[in-house]
Amino acid sequence: MFYIFYITTRSWDLALQNQTTMRAALLIQRWYRQYVARLEMRRRCTWNIFQSIEYAGEQDQIKLYNFFGYLMDHFTPNNICRNVDWERYFCYKSIEVPKLYSGPHLSFPITCSNAAELVEAFKNKQQLHSRYVLQLLGETWRLLRILPNISQISTCHSKEITICGDLHGHLEDLLLVFYKNGLPSSEKPYVFNGDFVDRGKDSLEILLILFSFLLVYPNDVHLNRGNHEDHIVNLRYGFTKEVLGKYRLHGKKILKLLQKIFSWLPLATVIDNKVLVLHGGISDTTDLHLISRVDRHKRQNRSGITDSDLEDDDPTTKPVDSSRRRVHSLTHSSSTGTRHEVQRRSLQGLNNRVTCSVEEELKERRRQAGLSQSYGDLRNSLANSDSDPDSGELLESYGDEWKQIVDMLWSDPMPQDGCVPNEVRGGGCYWGPDVTEEVLRRHNLTLLIRSHECKQEGYEFCHNRRVLTIFSASNYYEVGSNRGAYIRMGPDLVPHFIQYQANRATRALTLRQSVGRTERSALRALREKLFAHKSELISSFQEYDPENTGLISLGHWACAMEAVLRLGLPWRVLRTQLVGDTLDGMLDYHLWFRELAITEPNTEVRFTNTQILLETMYKHHSNLETIFRIIDTDNSGLISFEEFRQTWKLLSSHLQTEISDEAISDLAVSIDFNKDGSIDINEFMEAFRLVGGDLLQNEGDPH
């Protein structure tokens, strides 16, 4: 009897213990799910911050395309007209390789072993001599000029095609792809889907590697053009600076040759007549037949107006088939009518014109060249002209061609049906699932593979799995922000994904550490935006504070933040990271700015309108650097006080921002660290920066 009682009691205790254990396990599971959900919410907010700031920068860049293009023409005139003359200009034969040179050597025609050696050399941080760079780029230029607008490739039973997305100068990602997947070869074909350059520090090395394999395997390596393969875009996003820093003597020549190469890159690739691979996307007017026939040897400005490129006046260098011609800059058109008249000028020559708008100067330039200010203006002028009855049809053709290409390079998918202008990026369009279905049906395609957008996992399906985004630059925004990925596709045309993280330190981070690190970086970038718009934010806050109490509600704070910054961010969710203590739900916005540490920098130099000047400079520091590098035609890294002043006047006139001459002069003196009357561009860009959330002005040490 006792034995039975003991067994019963023991079983009851075990049951209670198991029940307690199960309950504890459920509580831990529930807590962990909530913990992961909170981290995921933080990660998504962080992602939105990075992406919104990135797209706002691209929108700003597009708005200034014609302005930058005008400066490029004004300070770096193009007096070479024919390909035969360009061949002589790009000639490498007068450049000797010194005996002390320890980097890789290339022989031409280039071989697969040369390409493999180049990969190994760049892996070991070696630099290719400028003679070999120009020779390699020259051979690439000649090859690209005979390729079609849309490459047609096919799989077979023994082959898989590898498709890579944006690399953006991340050489470590490309090397990791080659390590995992193998080097390009006739048995291992690759498609690289644009945006090879900008943002990262090894863009040129990536190009040289890809071009070398293209020369060895022209039928098995395919390069599509991205929106960053454009010399105007490169001025802002780092590639121009990278090339000039690595090749100070021949950098300008290398950049000019790369400009031509970019203009001849193919626009898309079709696999087995079923899978379309292009960089950005499509629109409701996308016509691959038109794109394959388009005459892309002509330049177009952002209004879509064609400007003949005189280099094609040389019949010996024209491709046999007009459908094989390629696109030049999609963003800017130079005036051929005045090309031979424009000589190297200084900003002093513009002194009498800066009082009027730069837009008026641009308009006058286009008028002299026979171009109107906009597409609509030109349409009206041609419609009213009796001299050429076919001019209207010609304009429609040019406009259609221009729109097709911009849509291919700049567009993004959206979940809703329809097709609307992409106001977020400022170029291309947003297209919906209905447009995808129609374009794929019209061309008898089954899948669209594109890049152009960073994805947290490196890839993402949308539109009922008919559109696939692939992005190959891991750690794009910050270490740990995203994975990279590439696609392997066999004859069944089913995509298989390989994901990776190129940075080893990232793999050791926990989820919480990774999210925290990325979040801090995103908030630091957002604080920079807040400083650049401080005066506008204060004014907006004061609209909700008519009695000037210095207090506003958190709801009004969120509304004002979005009204000024226009980033489309969930400000109420971000409130906990950006706003500290409140008084009964009311925010002291002056105290809030002080707590964010984005007030005026602590500096001994004081000048008129300090706050306005600092905010304007910080808001447009990328544009200022772009202008400085255009003006610095001798690549000395220095500009004079007068050029500095005129640069400010040009930009402020274009942006309709009033900055006094006294404030500009005081700023120039304050950042002339060695007091030699010139300003170092790199030191200027470091003069104002946020460090650990604090904006500092570096006074420098003259000693």
Side-chain angles (χ1 to χ4, degrees):
M1 189 72 177
F2 175 77
Y3 179 74
I4 294 174
F5 176 77
Y6 173 78
I7 295 297
T8 303
T9 304
R10 181 64 177 167
S11 298
W12 180 253
D13 290 341
L14 288 173
L16 288 176
Q17 186 177 358
N18 289 338
Q19 188 177 13
T20 303
T21 302
M22 183 65 70
R23 189 175 300 168
L26 289 174
L27 287 173
I28 293 172
Q29 186 182 58
R30 184 185 304 170
W31 171 85
Y32 182 73
R33 286 176 177 172
Q34 293 174 347
Y35 170 75
V36 172
R38 286 193 297 268
L39 284 179
E40 180 60 24
M41 184 177 69
R42 287 171 57 191
R43 189 169 81 150
R44 290 185 180 182
C45 285
T46 298
W47 191 262
N48 287 338
I49 293 172
F50 276 129
Q51 201 166 60
S52 297
I53 292 175
E54 177 189 10
Y55 291 173
E58 289 186 345
Q59 185 182 86
D60 185 38
Q61 168 73 18
I62 287 179
K63 290 177 180 177
L64 291 171
Y65 269 155
N66 283 337
F67 176 67
F68 288 154
Y70 159 71
L71 290 179
M72 285 288 286
D73 275 351
H74 193 82
F75 293 101
T76 56
N78 179 357
N79 293 321
I80 303 178
C81 304
R82 300 180 303 168
N83 280 334
V84 289
D85 297 324
W86 282 117
E87 296 275 3
R88 285 191 287 269
Y89 175 74
F90 294 134
C91 185
Y92 58 87
K93 295 180 180 179
S94 62
I95 304 173
E96 293 189 4
V97 179
K99 294 181 180 180
L100 296 177
Y101 170 70
S102 58
H105 292 265
L106 298 182
S107 59
F108 292 85
I110 197 167
T111 64
C112 58
S113 61
N114 288 145
E117 289 168 5
L118 203 56
V119 172
E120 195 63 27
F122 291 154
K123 181 179 179 181
N124 295 323
K125 310 298 182 184
Q126 292 181 305
Q127 183 169 304
L128 186 64
H129 194 274
S130 56
R131 174 190 173 101
Y132 296 132
V133 172
L134 285 170
Q135 192 171 3
L136 177 60
L137 295 180
E139 293 297 323
T140 303
W141 180 41
R142 295 181 191 96
L143 172 62
L144 290 175
R145 278 148 56 187
I146 64 172
L147 296 182
N149 288 347
I150 301 177
S151 304
Q152 300 283 343
I153 61 177
S154 63
T155 61
C156 66
H157 294 295
S158 60
K159 281 187 179 181
E160 278 189 330
I161 294 176
T162 302
I163 304 167
C164 295
D166 296 33
L167 288 166
H168 277 301
H170 288 210
L171 179 61
E172 63 273 18
D173 287 303
L174 180 62
L175 296 178
L176 186 56
V177 170
F178 287 164
Y179 173 78
K180 286 175 168 287
N181 196 63
L183 295 175
S185 68
S186 55
E187 291 76 31
K188 189 81 65 176
Y190 276 81
V191 176
F192 294 94
N193 200 26
D195 276 12
F196 317 117
V197 302
D198 282 332
R199 303 189 188 278
K201 64 183 186 327
D202 297 313
S203 297
L204 184 57
E205 285 75 9
I206 287 177
L207 285 179
L208 296 174
I209 289 173
L210 297 184
F211 291 160
S212 64
F213 281 111
L214 173 67
L215 292 173
V216 178
Y217 304 107
N219 297 317
D220 302 292
V221 174
H222 305 274
L223 309 180
N224 292 339
R225 185 179 184 177
N227 62 305
H228 277 263
E229 276 68 66
D230 186 292
H231 65 287
I232 301 293
V233 177
N234 300 152
L235 281 165
R236 172 163 181 164
Y237 288 103
F239 183 52
T240 298
K241 180 179 178 181
E242 176 191 332
V243 173
L244 294 178
K246 291 176 178 177
Y247 294 93
R248 297 189 65 86
L249 185 58
H250 300 287
K252 295 280 187 179
K253 191 174 293 188
I254 291 171
L255 282 171
K256 191 64 182 180
L257 184 48
L258 282 168
Q259 175 184 337
K260 291 194 159 293
I261 287 173
F262 288 166
S263 72
W264 286 86
L265 284 170
L267 302 173
T269 301
V270 175
I271 303 173
D272 287 349
N273 297 313
K274 290 295 182 183
V275 178
L276 174 63
V277 185
L278 48 74
H279 180 72
I282 56 176
S283 70
D284 52 359
T285 62
T286 295
D287 183 351
L288 297 183
H289 303 297
L290 172 63
I291 292 168
S292 66
R293 299 190 309 268
V294 74
D295 201 1
R296 298 310 303 165
H297 72 297
K298 296 182 178 180
R299 298 176 186 266
Q300 288 190 339
N301 64 14
R302 197 171 173 267
S303 301
I305 313 306
T306 304
D307 176 24
S308 297
D309 186 349
L310 296 182
E311 69 182 27
D312 289 313
D313 290 342
D314 180 12
T316 64
T317 59
K318 282 188 179 182
V320 176
D321 185 354
S322 63
S323 67
R324 295 178 174 227
R325 292 172 185 160
R326 237 11 117 253
V327 59
H328 284 258
S329 172
L330 301 175
T331 60
H332 170 65
S333 145
S334 57
S335 299
T336 57
T338 59
R339 176 177 299 176
H340 298 288
E341 301 168 12
V342 180
Q343 301 298 323
R344 165 71 176 99
R345 307 176 186 183
S346 68
L347 277 168
Q348 184 64 33
L350 292 177
N351 192 36
N352 296 328
R353 292 198 293 271
V354 294
T355 53
C356 56
S357 163
V358 173
E359 287 298 331
E360 294 178 8
E361 172 69 16
L362 288 170
K363 186 173 182 178
E364 176 63 17
R365 286 258 160 215
R366 294 193 188 97
R367 186 194 65 75
Q368 293 174 359
L371 299 176
S372 296
Q373 180 72 6
S374 68
Y375 180 78
D377 292 340
L378 185 60
R379 179 190 297 277
N380 294 334
S381 65
L382 287 175
N384 297 328
S385 173
D386 298 328
S387 60
D388 186 358
D390 297 326
S391 57
E393 293 182 12
L394 187 62
L395 178 62
E396 282 292 340
S397 174
Y398 290 155
D400 289 344
E401 292 176 2
W402 165 79
K403 183 181 184 303
Q404 296 268 332
I405 304 307
V406 172
D407 287 343
M408 291 178 71
L409 297 187
W410 283 91
S411 297
D412 295 305
M414 66 178 181
Q416 303 85 8
D417 284 346
C419 187
V420 297
N422 192 332
E423 301 292 349
V424 176
R425 289 189 189 267
C429 68
Y430 279 116
W431 87 94
D434 57 330
V435 175
T436 294
E437 292 293 333
E438 172 58 25
V439 171
L440 294 183
R441 182 200 61 78
R442 190 190 313 148
H443 296 93
N444 195 27
L445 299 167
T446 60
L447 179 66
L448 167 62
I449 297 178
R450 43 93 63 177
S451 300
H452 194 44
E453 286 184 288
C454 182
K455 299 298 178 182
Q456 289 185 347
E457 297 302 320
Y459 72 93
E460 183 178 275
F461 276 107
C462 64
H463 293 182
N464 302 315
R465 298 179 71 86
R466 303 295 299 276
V467 173
L468 170 59
T469 299
I470 187 72
F471 197 86
S472 298
S474 65
N475 308 301
Y476 178 62
Y477 292 122
E478 176 59 75
V479 174
S481 64
N482 67 285
R483 295 182 181 182
Y486 60 91
I487 299 169
R488 281 207 293 251
M489 179 176 285
D492 58 0
L493 300 181
V494 175
H496 301 276
F497 307 101
I498 294 85
Q499 299 168 285
Y500 53 84
Q501 283 275 12
N503 191 301
R504 292 182 180 179
T506 306
R507 303 168 205 165
L509 296 177
T510 65
L511 178 60
R512 182 177 181 179
Q513 290 171 331
S514 177
V515 171
R517 182 172 183 169
T518 309
E519 185 179 61
R520 287 191 295 274
S521 178
L523 291 174
R524 184 167 57 250
L526 188 55
R527 286 190 179 98
E528 294 180 16
K529 278 284 185 183
L530 295 176
F531 173 77
H533 294 82
K534 181 180 177 182
S535 295
E536 297 167 73
L537 285 169
I538 292 291
S539 298
S540 185
F541 293 154
Q542 288 173 342
E543 291 180 9
Y544 294 104
D545 181 25
E547 297 181 5
N548 201 27
T549 64
L551 300 174
I552 57 172
S553 69
L554 293 176
H556 288 157
W557 171 84
C559 292
M561 294 286 281
E562 181 57 31
V564 172
L565 299 178
R566 299 183 182 277
L567 294 176
L569 293 174
W571 294 106
R572 294 178 187 271
V573 176
L574 290 170
R575 178 180 61 83
T576 55
Q577 284 97 342
L578 294 174
V579 177
D581 297 331
T582 59
L583 301 173
D584 298 325
M586 301 296 287
L587 173 67
D588 184 332
Y589 50 88
H590 293 293
L591 177 62
W592 174 65
F593 267 112
R594 289 195 294 272
E595 289 177 345
L596 282 177
I598 55 175
T599 52
E600 293 181 13
N602 182 20
T603 172
E604 297 176 2
V605 180
R606 297 293 176 184
F607 39 83
T608 309
N609 297 327
T610 300
Q611 186 61 44
I612 297 175
L613 184 60
L614 289 177
E615 290 178 25
T616 303
M617 197 219 70
Y618 213 91
K619 190 184 305 182
H620 302 290
H621 70 277
S622 294
N623 297 329
L624 284 167
E625 182 180 16
T626 299
I627 298 170
F628 290 157
R629 296 197 182 281
I630 294 174
I631 294 171
D632 181 26
T633 55
D634 61 355
N635 193 30
S636 66
L638 301 173
I639 57 174
S640 68
F641 277 11
E642 180 59 25
E643 287 174 328
F644 179 82
R645 189 181 73 83
Q646 293 293 350
T647 296
W648 269 98
K649 298 298 287 185
L650 279 170
L651 183 61
S652 62
S653 174
H654 180 74
L655 298 172
Q656 298 181 345
T657 302
E658 289 296 329
I659 302 293
S660 69
D661 287 344
E662 182 184 0
I664 297 172
S665 298
D666 287 345
L667 176 61
V669 172
S670 71
I671 59 177
D672 178 19
F673 300 138
N674 58 6
K675 308 304 177 186
D676 64 350
S678 298
I679 297 172
D680 184 287
I681 297 174
N682 294 321
E683 289 181 347
F684 173 81
M685 298 313 298
E686 284 295 309
F688 297 85
R689 57 190 176 91
L690 284 173
V691 181
D694 297 328
L695 183 82
L696 303 177
Q697 180 175 352
N698 301 325
E699 289 304 309
D701 184 355
H703 306 292

